């Protein structure tokens, strides 16, 4: 099923907001994911028919998604209620696009920053910091730390390593009184940050959280996670 990236991002935020109030062990997370996607598509003006969404979900998780579309409808009302009908979500993508010409970002840097923004939805950062802080963090990762584009689609370790090494190199350049300092591209970014009203401390905290994500990502096992969820759902009859 193809849909806009922004709808997927909105769905991820819905899921996080829902589980701040509800314990995952009392829900069918596969139904919640399906419902969040269905609702997000409607809010982002790329709606999908409810029967089509249920059919696609059953292709992925036939043992956990019932064919009855009313189940998704009931879950949708529960999702809206838990979020107090506050369904509009703002994302960092727009800020990234607006800052591209101002900071003279290359297409590769924009692509890297876009990937970082996609990855940050796997953390709690969307609930903790405003979108413009996330966008600035993603730009810094792309311009200063320069992890390779292929790192985002392979092992997570090179990304975390590149971010750590890049940070140390920049700090060394800033502290070198005899050198020329950081490269001009980075000097321009630092000057822009100094003149802006962006919370630098928040940007640093977001960057540290992202490094932690990539380090943990290396030990993540999707198969093991699915097995645990499956046992939890079936033991509580949440798939009915």
């Amino acid at each position: 099923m193809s849909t806009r990236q922004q709808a997927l991002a909105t769905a991820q935020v819905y899921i996080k907001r829902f589980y701040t109030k509800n314990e995952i062990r009392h829900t069918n997370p596969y139904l919640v994911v399906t419902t969040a996607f269905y609702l997000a598509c409607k809010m982002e003006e790329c709606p999908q028919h409810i029967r089509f969404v249920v059919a696609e979900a059953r292709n992925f998780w036939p043992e956990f998604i019932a064919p009855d579309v009313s189940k998704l409808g009931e879950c949708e009302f529960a999702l809206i209620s838990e979020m107090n009908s506050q369904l509009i979500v703002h994302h960092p993508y727009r800020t990234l696009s607006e800052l591209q010409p101002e900071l003279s970002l290359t297409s590769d840097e924009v692509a890297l920053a876009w990937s970082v923004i996609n990855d940050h939805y796997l953390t709690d950062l969307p609930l903790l910091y405003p979108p413009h802080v996330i966008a600035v963090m993603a730009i810094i990762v792309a311009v200063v730390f320069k992890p390779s584009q292929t790192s985002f689609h392979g092992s997570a370790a090179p990304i975390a390593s590149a971010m750590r090494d890049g940070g140390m190199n920049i700090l060394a350049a800033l502290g070198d009184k005899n050198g020329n300092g950081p490269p001009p591209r980075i000097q321009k970014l630092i000057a822009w940050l100094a003149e802006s009203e962006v919370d630098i401390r928040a940007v640093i905290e977001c960057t540290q959280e992202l490094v932690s994500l990539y380090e943990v990502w290396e030990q993540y096992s999707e198969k093991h996670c699915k097995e645990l969820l499956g046992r939890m759902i079936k033991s509580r009859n949440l798939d009915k």
Side-chain angles (χ1 to χ4, degrees):
M1 181 185 297
S2 61
T3 190
R4 295 168 52 193
Q5 177 63 44
Q6 187 157 316
L8 298 178
T10 297
Q12 288 176 287
V13 175
Y14 286 173
I15 294 167
K16 289 185 177 297
R17 290 177 59 191
F18 177 79
Y19 280 120
T20 60
K21 297 182 178 181
N22 298 272
E23 296 182 41
I24 191 171
R25 63 193 179 98
H26 292 155
T27 68
N28 178 348
Y30 294 102
L31 178 60
V32 174
V33 167
T34 303
T35 305
F37 171 79
Y38 172 69
L39 181 59
C41 285
K42 290 201 289 187
M43 290 303 301
E44 297 297 342
E45 299 182 351
C46 52
Q48 303 282 353
H49 196 282
I50 187 170
R51 295 189 181 280
F52 182 53
V53 173
V54 170
E56 286 295 311
R58 283 183 55 77
N59 286 337
F60 287 107
W61 314 299
E63 66 273 35
F64 302 123
I65 300 294
D68 185 1
V69 296
S70 65
K71 296 292 185 182
L72 192 149
E74 293 171 3
C75 188
E76 179 184 12
F77 282 110
L79 201 63
I80 294 172
S81 176
E82 291 294 343
M83 294 189 293
N84 298 319
S85 300
Q86 297 176 358
L87 304 179
I88 297 177
V89 179
H90 299 282
H91 297 285
Y93 301 111
R94 177 177 296 180
T95 302
L96 174 61
S97 300
E98 292 175 349
L99 290 179
Q100 179 180 4
E102 184 172 348
L103 297 176
S104 302
L105 301 177
T106 66
S107 58
D108 287 342
E109 289 168 345
V110 171
L112 282 169
W114 193 282
S115 296
V116 171
I117 291 174
N118 290 345
D119 290 343
H120 101 283
Y121 287 104
L122 299 174
T123 71
D124 290 334
L125 292 177
L127 303 181
L128 300 174
Y129 297 96
H132 73 276
V133 170
I134 303 298
V136 171
M137 177 272 293
I139 291 171
I140 290 175
V141 171
V143 175
V144 177
F145 304 135
K146 296 183 181 299
S148 65
Q149 179 70 51
T150 55
S151 297
F152 287 94
H153 306 288
S155 174
I159 309 175
S161 177
M163 292 174 69
R164 287 194 300 268
D165 295 343
M168 293 301 295
N169 292 337
I170 294 303
L171 289 175
L174 289 172
D176 186 4
K177 297 181 180 180
N178 298 321
N180 296 321
R185 294 275 292 107
I186 296 177
Q187 289 183 12
K188 179 178 180 179
L189 179 57
I190 293 174
W192 181 85
L193 285 171
E195 296 174 357
S196 71
E197 297 182 357
V198 177
D199 186 345
I200 303 300
R201 184 183 296 274
V203 173
I204 294 173
E205 291 172 352
C206 289
T207 306
Q208 292 174 335
E209 182 67 19
L210 200 70
V211 172
S212 299
L213 166 68
Y214 291 138
E215 290 176 338
V216 171
W217 209 337
E218 192 69 12
Q219 285 77 45
Y220 171 71
S221 171
E222 183 176 356
K223 180 181 178 182
H224 181 61
C225 184
K226 285 183 176 180
E227 290 174 351
L228 292 176
L229 286 175
R231 288 202 296 267
M232 178 197 73
I233 293 171
K234 291 185 179 299
S235 66
R236 295 175 176 271
N237 295 319
L238 297 172
D239 53 334
K240 304 302 182 181

